[in-house]
Amino acid sequence: MAATLLPEDLPLDAHKRTHSAETKRYGFFPGCVAKESCKELFNSTMLLADRLGIELIELTAASCCGASVVNDVNRDVARVLNARTYAQAEALGLDDVITICSTCTGHMRAANKELLESEERMDHANAILSKFGAKYQGNVTVRHLLWLLIDDIGLDNLRSMVVRPLNGLRVAPFYGCHIIRPESVNGWESARNPHSLEDLVEAIGGEPVDYAGKTRCCGFHIQLEKDNTAANMVGQNMRMAKDRGAEAVITPCPLCHLALDGYQADSAARWGRTDLPTFHLPQLVAFALGVAPEKLGLNKHLIDPRTILVERELIA
Amino acid sequence: MAQVKLDIFRFDEAVDAVPHRDVVTVDVPETTTVLDALETAKADVDGSISFRRSCRSAICGSCSMNINGVTGLACKTPCNTVMDDVGTIKIDPMPNFQPMKDLVVHMDPFWDKYARLKPYLQPADADSAHERERRVSPDDMRKLVDVANCIMCATCYALCPVVSVDPAFAGPAAIAYAYRFIEDVRDDKRKERLAQINEDYLWLCAHCYACSYCPKHVDPNDRIIDVKRATVKDRVMMNERGPRHALVVSKTIKQTGMLAETEVIQGTIGRFNVRGLLKVAPLGLRMAAKGKMPPPFLRPIPKVDEVRTIFDALEVPVS
């Protein structure tokens, strides 16, 4: 019996792969969740990078960013753990570090800000790093893949690379708190009225859906504290999106993804059924750029996003 | 001068079954605050428009309201920063509160959560007639200065997404105010206060930073973390899920360099808490059916010894 063949990726003209002559290299910090329960995020990020013609070099010896939780037991540990990661990035010549998680983005940037704004804190971190011969010089910047797509690739460029436009699919952006708040740490765009995800959805042929829940919290961090409260936060936001006509959700954060994908069923009693399929940011962009959908791990989601893609005749 | 169209939420709980909206147009300089525009509307157009205000200078905390979907002090918001192309400003009462009349809300749940904290100093010698002032070092006082700026405007409470679905949560302002007494060296009830705020769901904060929009830069988000750290340091209520969660996250990062999802879930709920584990089992099974389970054990990252060196140097608690 012949082996089942994966559908081929849609062809992309070689000259459209990248807008720069040489391949751009970035340090890549995938974070814990993309390596554990959301492996489909990691895989689709790598596939997207290949399409974009950029090289994401994983910082394999990096630790967890602190996940906003270790701050609860110690004031300094997240800062020093991230200083160690930055020292590794610098040693590899990869000062431009890219993340794919809102929480990693926010907390790594917060740590970097603390280090760069205070010589005392930098010295304190480096005194500990020196125990194993490392030193952070202060040259690293941390950005989310979303920012890279818009600043480095560019929306026009991205638009020209689309080979499978979303055909007006109504996509609700869900930012996730830590990529926008606090503004003093992120500040790449307005935290109260961000529009980068909307711009991106529009560029790949979808129709962005505006709703008040897009900058609100998914409740991920209190799922284990009080699951009913966390589920209600998901339900409240997804109800707003659904009422505005959303057919799907896109999020730059795997923690939000776990919450939105996992808890809509549990919130139905109070908020009614919403069942909005949720895409990881790179999944949907890679799809539009022609990566074969079978490679994107869409089958790993609890609310199967393939249903809406079939309905909108985007896949067979 | 600009024509500002105030699109105002109107409701009187004594007579109205449902709210309606009125649009009131006023001519004011465009740098006028939303509060002054409202005052003009009340004085010149419709005297029945109700809202709370007093100082007009971001000191009294009375005039927090929802302005074009953003909650903040009306006296600190110039019209030209919020009005749209045709000069419209949509004004609603603070969310997370029951409206009373127009922009005035019932503040009782907010004050009740304050009152539970006993928001006054409780020194050891409270009952004796002390002869001298209680002195505090500048360093000790510095910790309290920012949070003492809280004007109880309830902006953070209105912005809090946890409060919006779970009224049991103390909310950002009350926790920040608890911090103000917990860290006050003159106070003698630190442990009792920590236990109280833990009972009022300290650990239900979702880390969302919505309260980072504090108009007085009290930044309750950071004070909440301070109170959690004080809880862990003083070993208060250590058998509850919140502290257990923080400590097991810390422990798995020290052991593997990563946040080990499987161990964090078990460690937070309790390995022998059969009922608690059964409650998360359906979601776990649905995820397993999709091949979406985190690995049961993680291989430590390369050079994990460096991570452990950091934890040891900082004496980070892991249990």
Side-chain angles (χ1 to χ4, degrees), chain B residues 213-251:
Chain B
Y213 292 114
C214 171
K216 301 297 283 186
H217 306 292
V218 170
D219 296 342
N221 43 292
D222 288 338
R223 301 295 79 76
I224 292 169
I225 298 169
D226 286 332
V227 176
K228 287 175 175 174
R229 270 199 296 259
T231 299
V232 172
K233 186 176 163 213
D234 283 32
R235 314 288 301 171
V236 176
M237 320 256 295
M238 291 310 279
N239 227 4
E240 299 296 317
R241 283 192 182 191
R244 273 215 312 259
H245 179 66
L247 288 167
V248 72
V249 166
S250 175
K251 179 177 147 200

Side-chain angles (χ1 to χ4, degrees), chain B residues 99-260:
Chain B
M100 182 191 295
K101 188 164 186 297
D102 302 340
L103 306 172
V104 178
V105 297
H106 288 279
M107 295 283 286
D108 313 66
F110 180 75
W111 297 127
D112 289 349
K113 285 169 182 175
Y114 261 109
R116 287 172 65 82
L117 303 169
K118 302 197 170 81
Y120 41 83
L121 200 66
Q122 298 182 72
D125 58 351
D127 299 328
S128 65
H130 51 270
E131 307 273 297
R132 294 183 305 138
E133 73 270 34
R134 297 186 177 87
R135 306 194 73 168
V136 184
S137 74
D139 277 347
D140 284 333
M141 206 62 213
R142 220 164 274 132
K143 287 192 282 187
L144 310 181
V145 171
D146 287 345
V147 74
N149 285 334
C150 176
I151 55 174
M152 301 176 206
C153 63
T155 297
C156 59
Y157 191 88
L159 288 167
C160 178
V162 179
V163 169
S164 81
V165 296
D166 190 344
F169 180 46
I175 301 174
Y177 226 63
Y179 165 89
R180 186 248 166 277
F181 291 103
I182 287 164
E183 292 298 335
D184 191 322
V185 292
R186 299 164 295 182
D187 198 82
D188 192 44
K189 299 284 189 217
R190 181 179 160 101
K191 280 238 193 286
E192 289 85 340
R193 290 182 188 281
L194 282 169
Q196 176 72 51
I197 201 65
N198 270 269
E199 267 180 27
D200 291 351
Y201 294 103
L202 165 68
W203 297 85
L204 211 47
C205 164
H207 315 186
C208 78
Y209 291 86
C211 54
S212 63
Y213 292 114
C214 171
K216 301 297 283 186
H217 306 292
V218 170
D219 296 342
N221 43 292
D222 288 338
R223 301 295 79 76
I224 292 169
I225 298 169
D226 286 332
V227 176
K228 287 175 175 174
R229 270 199 296 259
T231 299
V232 172
K233 186 176 163 213
D234 283 32
R235 314 288 301 171
V236 176
M237 320 256 295
M238 291 310 279
N239 227 4
E240 299 296 317
R241 283 192 182 191
R244 273 215 312 259
H245 179 66
L247 288 167
V248 72
V249 166
S250 175
K251 179 177 147 200
T252 66
I253 296 175
K254 184 173 182 181
Q255 280 173 347
T256 67
M258 304 270 280
L259 189 158

Side-chain angles (χ1 to χ4, degrees), chain A residues 166-189:
Chain A
L166 296 183
N167 206 6
L169 182 72
R170 292 177 60 81
V171 184
F174 192 89
Y175 283 84
C177 302
H178 300 147
I179 197 174
I180 45 174
R181 283 187 299 265
E183 278 195 59
S184 57
V185 167
N186 291 305
W188 180 77
E189 66 182 323

Side-chain angles (χ1 to χ4, degrees), chain A residues 223 258 261-263 266 302, chain B residues 279-288 293:
Chain A
Q223 282 174 358
L258 285 172
D261 191 38
Y263 277 74
D266 296 331
L302 300 189
Chain B
K279 215 174 160 209
V280 296
L283 180 60
L285 289 173
R286 276 188 284 147
M287 288 176 69
M293 285 304 273

Side-chain angles (χ1 to χ4, degrees), chain A residues 36 40 64 68 178 226 229, chain B residues 166 207-208 241 257 259 292:
Chain A
E36 297 182 47
E40 73 278 7
C64 171
S68 88
H178 300 147
K226 209 173 176 190
T229 303
Chain B
D166 190 344
H207 315 186
C208 78
R241 283 192 182 191
L259 189 158
K292 207 176 164 49

